[in-house]
Amino acid sequence: MSKGLVKAKKYDWKNSNMELFGSKLEREVKKASAVTEPAWQGAGVAPGLRIWRIEKFEVKDWPKEDYGEFYNGDSYIILNTFKDDDSENLAHDVHFWIGKYSSQDEYGTAAYKTVELDTFLDDVPVQHRECQDYESDLFKSYFPQGITTMEGGCATGFRHVPPEQYEGRLFHFGRDKSGHIACKEIPRVASLVSDDDVYILDLGLTIYQYNGETSSPMERSKAMQHVGNIKIHRGDAVSKVLEGATTSKAHEFFEKLDQEPDDTPEDDTDGPDGNKLLRVNTETNLPEVVKEGNFARDDLKSDDVFICETSSSVFVWIGINASVSEKKNGLPYAHNYLRGHGRPWKSITVIKEGQKCAQFEAALAA
């Protein structure tokens, strides 16, 4: 497991007005990667998953053994390559994932590099943006064992910590906003441990699984799988299962929960909005409402760029006759729209006219 360094400010990225291509940040990114991005070599040539992390404006391979694990202070790029059912040609979905504490520079770099990867793959991929705790079902499907989010982030790269020097980490297993079992690192605070869920305290050489008295069999099973994965990569570790009903508060499990609670409130976000279709005015870069409620394919025009919002996500549909600049700036259009309307966490998908996207087809059929 890769170790991160803790960052301080939550949702730093959402406060930024995302600049369009041609900005100072884009020039910095291009300078850092020179003419050709080494990370893209071999990307998308065969079916499978590839993940990279953004480190100081650069794209770095993420270890395969850590796929499914993300630090909340970092930004990542994820490429899924698969065979198209109709043509047998290779197709791609490229996502960038934003941790709660990811910086504006990391967020911007991930966005620009996602577009760069799309260009590298001849504009074939469908582009997506994912935010921590609000990931799309498509993104979650890549990780059958579930997604694990951990405290910390990249500052000078990552390092592997020997188990005997390991700083204790507490993981919570419970249902996320869409009902999936999610694993999330939380502070080592005793008051955060409830009877409803399952927790893993990873002390390096000893791993405790604490089953809350009313926790579900699925939560217990997911936690057990997680413990098994840790032990595979950490030979000498010993695991123990604790039942909430019979575990004393004097047990080492609770003694190691020695951190103070953080009283900082969670960020407030507006609730989900209903379906809405907007056209991007490319002179002002601002969206104009075309239709409230459900929308259909006939509402889309090939000369324009549209933002199609549903209760859980936003699709940017780019007409085939849109300009080169409009085609590159689908992500900034959607980011700035969501930021301005208090819903920065929604997932974003950018679709060019003629591309296949099952999620967009489902939204049109709603």
Side-chain angles (χ1 to χ4, degrees):
M1 182 182 294
S2 303
K3 177 67 175 174
L5 300 176
V6 174
K7 294 180 179 178
K9 190 175 180 184
K10 185 182 292 185
Y11 287 126
D12 179 51
W13 59 266
K14 81 171 184 183
N15 298 318
S16 65
N17 183 58
M18 192 172 180
E19 298 178 75
L20 302 185
F21 283 82
S23 68
K24 179 182 178 182
L25 176 57
E26 186 197 10
R27 290 193 293 273
E28 286 187 56
V29 172
K30 285 184 174 180
K31 182 178 179 181
S33 63
V35 178
T36 303
E37 174 55 69
W40 305 149
Q41 301 309 305
V45 297
L49 198 66
R50 292 283 303 275
I51 301 179
W52 300 267
R53 178 166 73 168
I54 302 301
E55 301 179 15
K56 293 185 173 181
F57 298 105
E58 295 185 351
V59 182
K60 300 292 185 180
D61 274 302
W62 190 237
K64 289 189 181 296
E65 63 268 23
D66 291 341
Y67 279 18
E69 297 179 355
F70 301 94
Y71 283 103
N72 64 7
D74 286 333
S75 297
Y76 299 78
I77 295 174
I78 298 90
L79 173 67
N80 184 49
T81 300
F82 57 97
K83 283 190 176 181
D84 182 84
D85 291 335
D86 297 329
S87 66
E88 288 296 304
N89 292 330
L90 290 179
H92 317 274
D93 284 286
V94 57
H95 306 246
F96 67 102
W97 183 96
I98 308 301
K100 281 186 177 181
Y101 297 92
S102 186
S103 71
Q104 294 178 14
D105 282 348
E106 288 167 334
Y107 174 54
T109 302
Y112 291 127
K113 284 296 186 179
T114 295
V115 175
E116 183 181 277
L117 178 56
D118 178 270
T119 302
F120 179 80
L121 294 172
D122 298 321
D123 298 323
V124 172
V126 174
Q127 299 173 31
H128 309 263
R129 188 204 69 174
E130 310 283 348
C131 294
Q132 180 184 336
D133 297 334
Y134 295 92
E135 296 88 353
S136 66
D137 287 341
L138 176 64
F139 185 81
K140 292 176 181 176
S141 72
Y142 304 148
F143 310 103
Q145 302 301 321
I147 294 171
T148 299
T149 55
M150 300 173 293
E151 295 292 319
C154 166
T156 56
F158 61 80
R159 58 188 178 89
H160 288 272
V161 180
E164 60 273 11
Q165 299 176 18
Y166 202 81
E167 179 183 352
R169 313 182 85 167
L170 181 63
F171 293 90
H172 167 241
F173 289 78
R175 295 191 180 276
D176 62 15
K177 295 174 177 64
S178 58
H180 296 87
I181 304 297
C183 173
K184 181 178 180 181
E185 185 181 356
I186 61 175
R188 297 193 318 274
V189 176
S191 62
L192 296 180
V193 176
S194 75
D195 290 332
D196 298 330
D197 295 321
V198 178
Y199 302 83
I200 288 175
L201 179 62
D202 183 0
L203 299 175
L205 295 175
T206 303
I207 305 164
Y208 290 112
Q209 176 176 330
Y210 179 91
N211 296 329
E213 194 170 356
T214 58
S215 60
S216 72
M218 188 172 295
E219 290 168 343
R220 297 182 183 205
S221 175
K222 282 286 186 182
M224 190 170 293
Q225 291 175 15
H226 188 81
V227 171
N229 289 337
I230 293 174
K231 292 172 71 174
I232 288 172
H233 297 106
R234 202 184 299 162
D236 296 333
V238 175
S239 62
K240 301 177 183 179
V241 177
L242 307 176
E243 298 298 334
T246 58
T247 302
S248 166
K249 298 297 182 184
H251 191 282
E252 183 185 30
F253 175 85
F254 285 103
E255 288 183 350
K256 295 294 185 181
L257 303 184
D258 53 3
Q259 292 182 337
E260 294 296 320
D262 181 6
D263 295 328
T264 304
E266 290 290 317
D267 290 278
D268 291 326
T269 55
D270 290 353
D273 201 13
N275 286 13
K276 189 182 299 182
L277 179 67
L278 307 98
R279 184 183 69 86
V280 175
N281 182 327
T282 53
E283 293 182 2
T284 63
N285 295 322
L286 296 175
E288 302 168 345
V289 176
V290 173
K291 191 174 185 181
E292 299 273 3
N294 292 341
F295 43 82
R297 189 174 297 279
D298 288 345
D299 295 318
L300 308 174
K301 309 302 178 186
S302 296
D303 292 334
D304 290 321
V305 177
F306 291 87
I307 291 176
C308 313
E309 183 173 16
T310 71
S311 60
S312 60
S313 57
V314 161
F315 300 91
V316 182
W317 187 88
I318 300 175
I320 196 168
N321 297 327
S323 69
V324 173
S325 174
E326 290 167 349
K327 290 177 180 177
K328 282 187 175 183
N329 284 300
L331 286 168
Y333 290 148
H335 165 89
N336 292 332
Y337 165 72
L338 289 173
R339 173 180 173 270
H341 289 78
R343 298 185 289 276
W345 43 267
K346 280 191 175 183
S347 61
I348 297 172
T349 296
V350 179
I351 310 140
K352 307 176 191 75
E353 184 176 0
Q355 284 186 315
K356 295 179 181 179
C357 178
Q359 296 74 31
F360 185 58
E361 295 301 324
L364 290 174

